[in-house]
């Protein structure tokens, strides 16, 4: 496709969900109701760690207005010591996270649930459930969980042949690090810590589930994957997938946090037992206490360089909290941290640590910001030690096409180098700074993903287009798919409607995660649209009674070509659609593919901060995010993704943290004391979209949604150092911490 | 959700009668921006709510001349900001009230609610204390006038008796060359709760400070009037060493706690910093009047 001739690809077309959202018409999960519906509420553990000896629901059951009660006894019984893998999740953990079985493993862990006429009655009934607990010692922080006499969460999990809270490790090696460090002129090794942070989506988890007497189930819920909801609910309840129809609602933010289920299987059990549709809506406090934040971490990074700036060796050790069940994103930390660089000798290792906190869930480039934070801060120190500009230093070590990455692959064409070059020449990088202001830079990488996607492209009887895909639109996929379809068909984008199908109306599509959606769905939509174009040409050939190959599709119409050129008046899409029935029936095509070739994304950020040195408040005053976005199909949405990632990174770096009290309870389960940034905390976040098209994609698309949260933690830490001459090795860099540091010496 | 009675009296007498004669748990509602949140969180479950914002006296803003005002306890931040004179005379009180919440909250949040909610961190309370305002309290036994700093006893506790309602705040006459200011430390730029708040109200004679009231919020169980600091600066020309000494007095007056919002050391340190910044603002304002 010729770049210059693009009419819709690369244009900021009007977002298809805009009018519905701003006029309050868009339906979110909590907006759904059904006749006869009742309300579900969850009883949660008052302890961070305890054995469940018995649960007595008699009193609750006999409360007037109570319809049904669910406990783990109603779930499929997965033995705790054998894996039940579904994608990157394990259903034996998922079922125990949804309803605790042998033990409660964190404060807020669901123990039972009640469906009742009103939320108040359900709540009251929860209070009447008698649970006999044997309270156990608990561990919240990583150090407490990995020390010798730590209380063990899962006895059968072994590390070095001993029961342990270290549930797994992941390693990457390249070359010989001993040799590499020997070659280095300067070596810097530092320890870092980050706090657990929540995705902070505005819409809390919600669902409505209706199980009919014939066991057919309909689920309306807010998630990042209706097929994920169907599969997990099927596993946990034992109802076959063919009996479950999962309908995706509009979603009020997910950022990875809605890639697993919390409520749907519980509501399904309550509905099945009561014969009533059951609605459940979490409060913000429940979201904070019991849905996944991402891991807190502890890491050690050591990097050696030659005086000329060449990296000779790098080593990274990352401990990540998983919460109550194994599965922290150690792959993101150990795998992404060195990805932007050509490192001849490297070893990275991640440790998956369980402790008595809520199970972590994916959060935008899971694990990658943690790894990049440590590596990019050490690189900043090295650049300073060898007196090199930190961007020049990165340029010198930049990975390029052909580089063997530490995490495995040999890179195809990719644009890391271009992001550093663009940052170097950006006016921001040269702006003068005032007193107590500082500038920092950092880079970052995210794998991106492909995977299963389906699409159906149908031509309506009046000659317009309806495209159905199978993943919830969180970042602009509908607008981008409309752009691509309109471009391929040569018609006005306003004639294309893009819908998200439910599990009964479109084939299996993997969830919205890993920055995969536009990459994957553009592939299947392109194939489907090209097939539709072929059909349209065939129909025109029939109408004109000439050979199909003698027809071109151009500008939304079939034109006779070659020897027939000019012989017939071109047939528009509408004219062909009008004759669809006599020429062979409805026109449409669908494709279902396991997409491959999702290449990684790279970014380099420049950040300026200003510190109020009397109060310890650091504020970001200027920010530029440069990213290789492959091809920006809808630039405004791409820019929005970059800005959103940076905004969340700023919160992570400066203020957000899970704070626990001495009883093992989360002490700040709400937006008052869990401080995500508000608008006035942020500067205008400038973006530079570098476009190095992904050679393995028809439109050159790379995932763009996750990379932008990777560099900010280090960019901000480096900027604060530049402003104050003091380095911070632990996040968040909140005012009391900054002031304390400033008062030292 | 609440099940119970919702009363909307139109006069003070009616309100006092309802309030003093009610059995069980009864709550006054002005803007409701604290109360509704507390009900939703389950902190309080009133059987009866008495909505006092329809009472004329509680919505009035009266200009008594000489910079003195009488402001209804239920007047919202947005309404007070629209008054053409109040903010010129009491910019510190107004800016403190205006810091509360967001645009939406400002349409409802009141001085009376902020004070009687008795949070140690209420933003308008230090400013009210520094202003020297008196709270007019109507109750079954009549009317009393109490200095604002005497109303709160501790977190969530006031010394209001059964049936008593704060109806109005009486702000004193303004001396020439006098003004006030309020600053708070929050980690965010808005929509946050004060880690420390500091209000300063001063009168100047040329470059000499002839009167002052200084109050701190969020550093003790209630907002504090810091007489010691005021004593140090009265009579001075607000020289650096005087201000440093007064800042120390502010720090010493703090009895803060270590919690998720800030450490003792941090709060003490910050109270001195805010005092020094707030007094500069108040002084500049005073010299302009
Ligand atoms: C999103 C949000 C942000 C907020 N931000 C801030 C902030 O930045 N700073 C801050 O200080 N506060 C903040 N608040 C808290 C609240 O808005 C303020 O305390 C506000 O001033 C309360 O006023 P109100 O009229 O709404 O009080 P209400 O909720 O009506 O009342 C509060 C309490 O005082 C009692 N009461 C009310 N009026 C009287 C009276 N006249 N006599 C006796 N008792 C009375 C009520 O019974 C109740 O117990 C915020 C609240 C929200 C929801």
């Amino acid at each position: 496709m010729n770049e210059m001739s693009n009419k819709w690809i690369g244009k900021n077309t009007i977002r298809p969900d805009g009018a519905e959202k701003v006029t309050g018409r868009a339906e979110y999960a909590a907006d759904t109701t059904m006749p006869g519906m009742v309300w579900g509420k969850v009883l949660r553990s008052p302890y961070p760690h305890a054995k469940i000896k018995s649960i007595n629901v008699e009193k609750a059951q006999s409360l007037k207005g109570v319809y049904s009660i669910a406990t783990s006894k109603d779930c499929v019984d997965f033995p705790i010591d054998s894996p039940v893998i579904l994608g990157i999740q394990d259903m034996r953990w998922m079922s125990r996270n949804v309803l605790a079985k042998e033990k409660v493993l964190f404060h807020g862990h669901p123990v039972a649930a009640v469906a009742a006429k009103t939320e108040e009655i359900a709540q009251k009934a929860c209070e009447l459930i008698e649970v006999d607990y044997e309270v156990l010692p608990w561990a919240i922080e990583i150090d407490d969980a990995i020390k010798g006499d730590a209380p063990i969460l899962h006895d059968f999990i072994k590390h070095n042949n001993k029961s342990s809270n270290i549930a797994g490790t992941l390693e990457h090696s390249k070359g010989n690090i001993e040799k590499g460090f020997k070659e280095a002129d300067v070596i810097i090794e530092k320890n870092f810590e980050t706090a657990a942070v929540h995705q902070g989506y505005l819409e809390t988890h919600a669902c409505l589930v209706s199980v009919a007497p014939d066991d057919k189930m309909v689920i309306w819920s807010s998630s990042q994957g209706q097929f994920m909801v169907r599969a997990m609910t099927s596993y946990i309840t034992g109802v076959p997938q063919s009996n479950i129809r999962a309908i995706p609602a509009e979603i009020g933010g997910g950022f990875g946090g809605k890639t697993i289920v919390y409520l749907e299987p519980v509501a399904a059990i309550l509905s099945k037992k009561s014969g009533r549709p059951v609605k459940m809506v979490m409060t913000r406090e429940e979201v904070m206490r019991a849905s996944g934040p991402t891991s807190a971490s502890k890491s050690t990074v050591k990097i050696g360089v030659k005086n000329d700036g060449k990296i000779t060796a790098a080593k990274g050790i990352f401990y990540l909290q998983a919460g109550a069940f194994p599965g922290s994103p150690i792959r993101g930390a150990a795998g992404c941290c060195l990805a932007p660089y050509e490192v001849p000798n490297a070893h990275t290792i991640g440790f998956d640590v369980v402790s008595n906190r809520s199970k972590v869930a994916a959060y935008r480039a899971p694990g990658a910001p943690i790894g990049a934070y440590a590596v990019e801060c050490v690189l900043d120190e090295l650049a300073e030690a060898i007196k090199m500009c930190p961007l020049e230093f990165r340029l010198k070590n930049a990975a390029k096409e052909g580089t063997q990455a530490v995490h495995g692959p040999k890179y195809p064409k990719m644009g890391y180098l271009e992001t550093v070059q663009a940052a170097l020449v950006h006016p921001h990088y040269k702006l003068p700074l005032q007193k107590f202001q500082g500038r920092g830079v950092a880079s970052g990488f995210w794998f991106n993903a492909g995977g299963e996607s389906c699409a159906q492209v149908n031509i309506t009887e009046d000659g317009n287009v309806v495209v159905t895909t199978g993943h919830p639109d969180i970042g602009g996929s509908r607008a981008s798919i409309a752009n691509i379809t309109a471009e391929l068909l040569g018609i006005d984008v306003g004639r294309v409607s893009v819908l998200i199908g439910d599990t009964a109306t479109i084939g299996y599509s993997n969830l919205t995660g890993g920055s995969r959606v536009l990459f994957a769905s553009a592939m299947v939509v392109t194939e489907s649209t090209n097939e539709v174009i072929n059909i349209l040409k065939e129909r025109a050939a029939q109408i004109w009674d000439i050979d199909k190959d003698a027809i071109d599709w151009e500008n939304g119409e079939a034109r006779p070509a070659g020897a027939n050129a000019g012989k017939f008046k071109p047939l528009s899409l509408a004219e062909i659609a009008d004759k669809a029935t006599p020429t062979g029936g409805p026109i449409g095509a669908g494709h279902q593919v396991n997409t491959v070739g999702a290449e990684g994304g790279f970014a380099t950020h420049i950040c300026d901060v200003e510190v109020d040195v009397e109060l310890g408040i650091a504020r970001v005053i200027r920010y530029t995010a440069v990213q290789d976005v492959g091809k920006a199909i809808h630039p405004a949405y791409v820019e929005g993704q970059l800005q959103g990632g940076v905004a969340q990174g700023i919160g992570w770096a400066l203020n957000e943290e899970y704070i626990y009290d001495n009883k093992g309870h989360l002490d700040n389960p709400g937006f008052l004391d869990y401080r995500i940034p508000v608008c006035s905390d942020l500067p205008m976040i400038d973006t530079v979209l570098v476009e190095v098209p992904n050679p393995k994609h028809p439109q050159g698309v790379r995932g763009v949604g996750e990379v932008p949260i990777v560099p900010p933690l280090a960019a901000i830490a480096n900027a604060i150092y530049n402003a104050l001459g003091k380095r911070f090795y632990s996040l968040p860099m909140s005012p009391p911490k900054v002031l304390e540091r400033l008062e030292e010496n | 959700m609440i099940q119970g009675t919702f009363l909307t009296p139109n006069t003070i007498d009616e309100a006092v009668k309802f309030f003093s004669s009610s059995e069980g748990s009864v709550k006054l509602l002005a803007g409701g921006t604290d109360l509704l949140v507390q009900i939703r969180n389950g902190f309080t479950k009133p059987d009866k709510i008495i909505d006092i914002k329809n009472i004329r006296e509680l919505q009035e803003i009266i200009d008594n001349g000489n910079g003195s005002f009488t402001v209804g306890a239920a007047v919202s931040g947005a309404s007070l900001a629209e008054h053409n004179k109040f903010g010129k005379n009491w910019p510190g009180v107004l800016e403190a009230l205006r810091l509360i919440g967001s645009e939406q909250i400002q349409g409802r949040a009141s001085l009376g609610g902020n004070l009687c909610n008795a949070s140690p961190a209420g933003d308008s309370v230090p400013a009210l204390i520094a202003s020297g305002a008196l709270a007019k309290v109507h109750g079954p036994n009549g009317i009393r006038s109490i200095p604002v700093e005497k109303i709160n006893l501790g977190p969530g506790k006031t010394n209001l008796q059964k049936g008593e309602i704060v109806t109005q705040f009486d702000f004193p006459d303004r001396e020439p060359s006098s003004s006030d200011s309020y600053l708070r430390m929050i980690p965010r730029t808005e929509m946050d709760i004060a880690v420390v708040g500091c209000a300063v109200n001063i009168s100047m004679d040329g470059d000499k400070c002839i009167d002052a009231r200084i109050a701190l919020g969020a550093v003790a169980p209630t907002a504090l009037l810091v007489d010691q600091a005021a004593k140090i600066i009265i009579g001075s020309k607000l020289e650096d060493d005087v201000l440093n000494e007064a800042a120390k007095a502010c720090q010493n007056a703090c009895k803060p706690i270590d919690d998720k919002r800030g450490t003792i050391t941090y709060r003490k340190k910050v109270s001195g910093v805010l005092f020094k910044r707030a007094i500069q603002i108040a002084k500049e304002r005073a010299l302009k009047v």
Side-chain angles (χ1 to χ4, degrees):
Chain A
M1 209 174 286
N2 174 350
E3 187 79 6
M4 299 306 290
S5 68
N6 278 348
K7 220 171 149 194
W8 302 111
I9 290 180
K11 294 289 171 336
N12 291 326
T13 51
I14 290 173
R15 42 189 295 181
D17 52 336
E20 279 201 350
K21 283 182 178 165
V22 300
T23 58
R25 287 174 169 80
E27 278 204 13
Y28 294 86
D31 294 327
T32 322
T33 57
M34 265 192 96
M37 181 184 96
V38 297
W39 288 84
K41 269 278 160 206
V42 173
L43 171 69
R44 297 178 181 277
S45 169
Y47 304 110
H49 196 189
K51 208 177 265 170
I52 301 176
K53 290 162 74 181
S54 67
I55 303 177
N56 183 346
V57 301
E58 257 168 52
K59 281 188 196 146
Q61 190 79 67
S62 58
L63 185 71
K64 191 161 175 271
V66 168
Y67 283 90
S68 59
I69 296 178
T71 65
S72 67
K73 286 208 179 74
D74 301 300
C75 300
V76 171
D77 184 15
F78 298 114
I80 197 163
D81 49 3
S82 49
V84 186
I85 299 301
L86 174 68
I88 58 166
Q89 298 293 342
D90 186 327
M91 290 305 107
R92 82 190 132 136
W93 303 135
M94 198 60 64
S95 69
R96 284 172 173 81
N97 194 45
V98 158
L99 282 169
K101 202 171 167 75
E102 300 83 0
K103 294 206 274 187
V104 287
L105 292 153
F106 59 95
H107 176 250
H109 196 163
V111 177
V114 177
K117 200 166 167 219
T118 64
E119 259 185 308
E120 292 71 37
I121 300 174
Q123 185 60 48
K124 204 174 224 165
C126 282
E127 288 156 24
L128 292 175
I129 296 175
E130 295 161 333
V131 187
D132 189 6
Y133 293 104
E134 178 188 330
V135 179
L136 301 168
W138 67 87
I140 301 286
E141 304 301 339
I142 293 174
D143 283 339
D144 301 327
I146 61 177
K147 65 181 184 202
D149 57 347
I152 299 294
L153 273 73
H154 308 284
D155 292 319
F156 70 95
I157 291 179
K158 301 274 193 286
H159 181 72
N160 294 334
N161 297 321
K162 260 182 57 199
S163 281
S164 171
N165 291 324
I166 294 178
T169 58
L170 179 142
E171 280 179 85
H172 293 291
S173 291
K174 184 183 166 189
N176 175 338
I177 55 165
E178 276 80 45
K179 183 177 134 277
F181 282 118
K182 266 196 206 116
E183 288 163 14
D185 294 318
V186 182
I187 296 173
I188 289 179
E189 178 172 7
K190 297 286 169 183
N191 300 316
F192 298 86
E193 282 180 19
T194 67
V197 295
H198 197 273
Q199 297 83 348
Y201 31 83
L202 279 188
E203 181 198 26
T204 65
H205 299 264
C207 71
L208 170 63
V209 180
S210 167
V211 184
D214 61 358
D215 250 14
K216 291 253 167 34
M217 187 191 301
V218 186
I219 304 173
W220 290 264
S221 76
S222 166
S223 81
Q224 289 176 239
Q226 61 274 45
F227 291 92
M228 172 280 294
V229 167
R230 181 177 76 174
M232 290 189 183
T233 306
S234 168
Y235 267 98
I236 294 170
T237 62
V239 176
Q241 290 190 10
S242 53
N243 269 10
I244 303 175
R245 181 173 178 195
I247 301 175
E250 278 294 344
I251 172 170
F255 312 105
K258 291 179 184 165
T259 54
I260 58 178
V261 291
Y262 296 97
L263 300 176
E264 292 90 337
V266 180
I269 292 167
L270 291 172
S271 176
K272 196 175 148 105
K273 289 176 92 169
S274 64
R276 296 290 197 118
V278 175
K279 180 162 171 169
M280 299 180 83
V281 181
M282 278 198 204
T283 62
R284 176 67 52 194
E285 184 175 338
E286 288 179 293
V287 170
M288 297 301 287
R289 290 199 192 285
S291 75
T294 194
S295 313
S297 72
K298 276 175 72 84
S299 46
T300 304
V301 163
K302 178 177 170 185
I303 300 177
V305 293
K306 300 286 258 184
N307 282 327
D308 69 358
K310 264 285 174 207
I311 297 174
T312 60
K315 186 177 165 191
I317 303 168
F318 305 97
Y319 287 86
L320 268 68
Q321 269 169 358
F325 301 104
S328 66
I330 44 180
R331 179 172 162 263
C336 296
C337 63
L338 296 170
Y341 309 106
E342 171 95 57
V343 184
N345 307 292
H347 179 223
T348 62
I349 180 165
F351 293 89
D352 186 25
V353 182
V354 293
S355 71
N356 297 106
R357 297 167 163 247
S358 55
K359 170 181 161 54
V360 299
Y363 180 21
R364 229 172 177 152
I370 290 170
Y373 165 55
V375 164
E376 298 290 319
C377 285
V378 170
L379 290 181
D380 200 61
E381 292 194 40
L382 284 165
E384 188 188 23
I386 58 169
K387 301 195 174 57
M388 215 171 158
C389 151
L391 286 178
E392 296 285 358
F393 178 44
R394 285 173 173 82
L395 213 51
K396 181 145 193 138
N397 292 288
K400 347 178 180 5
E401 184 171 358
T403 297
Q404 187 80 49
V406 173
H407 67 282
K410 195 171 209 153
Y411 290 131
K413 195 162 171 45
M414 47 79 132
Y416 173 56
L417 197 82
E418 286 81 347
T419 67
V420 186
Q421 283 165 338
L424 257 173
V425 300
H426 196 282
H428 177 173
Y429 199 54
K430 291 172 198 74
L431 281 179
L433 292 164
Q434 314 295 317
K435 199 171 175 202
F436 301 130
Q437 295 183 345
R439 178 165 299 145
V441 298
S443 295
F445 166 84
W446 175 246
F447 305 115
N448 291 329
E452 306 87 340
S453 278
C454 293
Q456 176 70 33
V457 176
N458 288 330
I459 304 300
T460 58
E461 299 95 292
D462 62 355
N464 292 309
V465 189
V466 176
V467 182
T468 309
T469 64
H471 354 72
D473 172 7
I474 318 189
S477 56
R478 279 172 291 192
S480 303
I481 290 295
N483 284 4
I484 290 172
T485 310
E487 191 75 55
L488 293 170
L489 278 168
I491 59 172
D492 190 276
V493 76
R495 292 173 60 190
V496 183
S497 284
V498 185
L499 308 179
I500 313 300
D502 65 57
T503 57
T505 57
I506 188 80
Y508 171 65
S509 299
N510 209 326
L511 51 74
T512 300
S515 299
R516 61 173 297 274
V517 167
L518 187 61
F519 169 83
S521 55
M523 276 180 149
V524 282
V525 166
T526 300
E527 284 189 45
S528 306
T529 308
N530 285 337
E531 192 180 332
V532 164
I533 292 172
N534 258 332
I535 298 171
L536 290 166
K537 289 203 280 186
E538 266 169 24
R539 301 299 173 89
Q542 276 190 50
I543 294 167
W544 289 329
D545 197 19
I546 60 173
D547 191 41
K548 177 193 141 225
D549 296 332
I551 292 176
D552 284 342
W553 185 265
E554 242 173 79
N555 245 340
E557 52 188 29
R559 294 180 180 170
N564 295 309
K567 276 198 195 154
F568 304 99
K569 193 169 157 279
L571 283 168
S572 71
L573 177 56
E575 286 164 330
I576 299 173
D578 190 45
K579 297 212 164 56
T581 301
T583 55
I587 300 167
H591 275 262
Q592 28 275 316
V593 175
N594 180 24
T595 63
V596 292
E599 289 301 331
F602 294 88
T604 300
H605 292 187
I606 313 169
C607 166
D608 289 1
V609 298
E610 181 171 277
V611 184
D612 180 330
V613 294
E614 290 180 317
L615 299 179
I617 302 174
R619 297 221 191 281
V620 176
I621 53 167
R622 211 174 282 122
Y623 205 101
T624 305
V626 187
Q627 187 172 318
D628 171 17
V629 300
K631 173 75 201 159
I633 305 295
H634 190 292
Y637 258 122
V638 171
E639 200 178 23
Q641 287 293 317
L642 269 53
Q643 291 167 326
V646 170
Q648 289 185 310
I650 291 173
W652 194 339
L654 294 180
N655 275 312
E656 293 180 39
E657 61 179 320
Y658 263 44
I659 302 169
Y660 280 81
D661 65 15
N662 59 13
K663 295 192 206 95
H665 301 183
L666 180 63
D667 200 20
N668 56 340
F671 284 150
L672 180 55
D673 287 303
Y674 179 86
R675 293 189 172 82
I676 61 173
V678 296
C679 270
S680 52
D681 291 334
L682 303 172
M684 183 63 199
I685 295 161
D686 200 3
T687 63
V688 178
L689 309 183
V690 172
E691 293 188 317
V692 179
N694 177 358
K696 300 176 182 171
H697 190 273
Q699 285 85 25
V701 167
R702 291 174 198 275
V704 300
E706 294 176 283
V707 190
I709 200 175
V710 182
L713 314 188
I716 295 164
N718 294 339
I720 292 180
Y721 168 70
N722 187 240
L724 302 178
K726 298 215 180 230
R727 296 219 179 249
F728 288 83
Y729 296 101
S730 113
L731 300 185
M733 295 174 282
S734 55
K737 223 188 244 176
V738 171
L739 199 64
E740 195 180 321
R741 201 61 225 290
L742 283 168
E743 308 257 287
E744 278 170 16
N745 62 6
Chain B
M1 215 191 289
I2 21 170
Q3 275 162 359
T5 320
F6 191 87
L7 299 165
T8 53
N10 289 313
T11 66
I12 294 178
D13 286 349
E14 235 185 317
V16 169
K17 210 173 84 201
F18 285 148
F19 198 25
S20 52
S21 65
S22 296
E23 296 297 317
S25 135
V26 42
K27 281 276 180 190
L28 297 178
L29 175 138
T33 59
D34 274 315
L35 186 65
L36 295 185
V37 176
Q38 288 158 5
I39 291 173
R40 199 186 150 108
N41 286 344
F43 295 147
T44 174
K45 282 185 188 161
D47 315 313
K48 191 181 279 182
I49 291 176
I50 303 173
D51 179 355
I52 52 174
K53 73 172 166 299
N54 302 311
I55 302 170
R56 186 175 50 85
E57 289 86 343
L58 275 84
Q59 288 293 0
E60 268 174 349
I61 306 169
I62 304 167
D63 183 349
N64 304 317
N66 294 328
S68 160
F69 284 83
T70 299
V71 176
V75 169
S76 72
S79 306
L80 197 56
E82 278 171 11
H83 193 275
N84 58 3
K85 281 212 188 129
F86 182 83
K88 294 198 182 80
N89 286 281
W90 299 98
V93 173
L94 186 62
E95 74 193 346
L97 178 62
R98 294 291 279 165
L99 280 176
I100 295 174
S102 56
E103 213 47 41
Q104 294 91 326
I105 298 296
Q106 281 291 309
R108 286 280 194 235
S110 67
L111 289 171
N114 198 224
L115 175 66
C116 299
N117 187 54
S119 153
D123 279 305
S124 72
V125 184
L128 282 174
I129 293 175
S131 76
L134 297 174
K136 202 181 287 166
V137 177
H138 279 74
N141 303 320
I143 307 174
R144 51 184 189 137
S145 240
I146 315 171
V148 168
E149 59 272 25
K150 298 266 157 62
I151 296 269
N152 288 341
L153 299 174
K157 277 199 216 96
T158 67
N159 75 21
L160 296 175
Q161 308 300 310
K162 185 173 157 75
E164 281 191 326
I165 301 172
V166 174
T167 52
Q168 289 174 325
F169 295 98
D170 286 317
F171 292 86
D173 286 357
R174 262 293 182 211
E175 302 294 326
S177 294
S178 71
S179 194
D180 61 344
S181 66
Y182 175 75
L183 287 177
R184 65 175 181 179
M185 189 282 156
I186 51 171
R188 279 193 287 228
T189 42
E190 59 184 15
M191 294 304 284
D192 213 331
I193 182 165
V195 176
V196 179
C198 179
V200 173
N201 180 23
I202 52 170
S203 301
M204 303 291 292
D205 180 6
D207 55 1
K208 202 167 135 195
C209 170
I210 52 169
D211 201 2
R213 282 171 71 88
I214 294 153
L216 291 171
V219 294
T222 62
L224 303 173
L225 178 65
V226 191
D227 280 330
Q228 304 86 320
K231 271 191 205 130
I232 293 167
I233 61 170
I234 293 172
S236 82
K237 292 185 175 173
L238 305 179
E239 300 87 345
D240 283 351
D241 54 336
V242 174
L243 294 184
N244 283 335
E245 206 190 322
K248 265 209 199 92
C250 285
Q251 296 183 352
N252 292 338
C254 297
K255 293 177 217 72
I257 47 167
D258 266 327
D259 71 0
K260 60 194 169 191
R261 291 176 186 150
T263 57
I264 292 173
T265 335
Y266 183 75
R267 286 189 154 115
K268 283 198 162 192
K269 168 96 187 143
V270 167
S271 64
V273 174
L274 290 188
F275 160 72
K276 287 204 262 179
R277 291 183 183 183
I279 197 160
Q280 287 308 337
I281 298 171
K283 180 178 130 189
E284 271 162 40
R285 286 177 181 163
L287 294 178
K288 267 191 215 138
V289 215

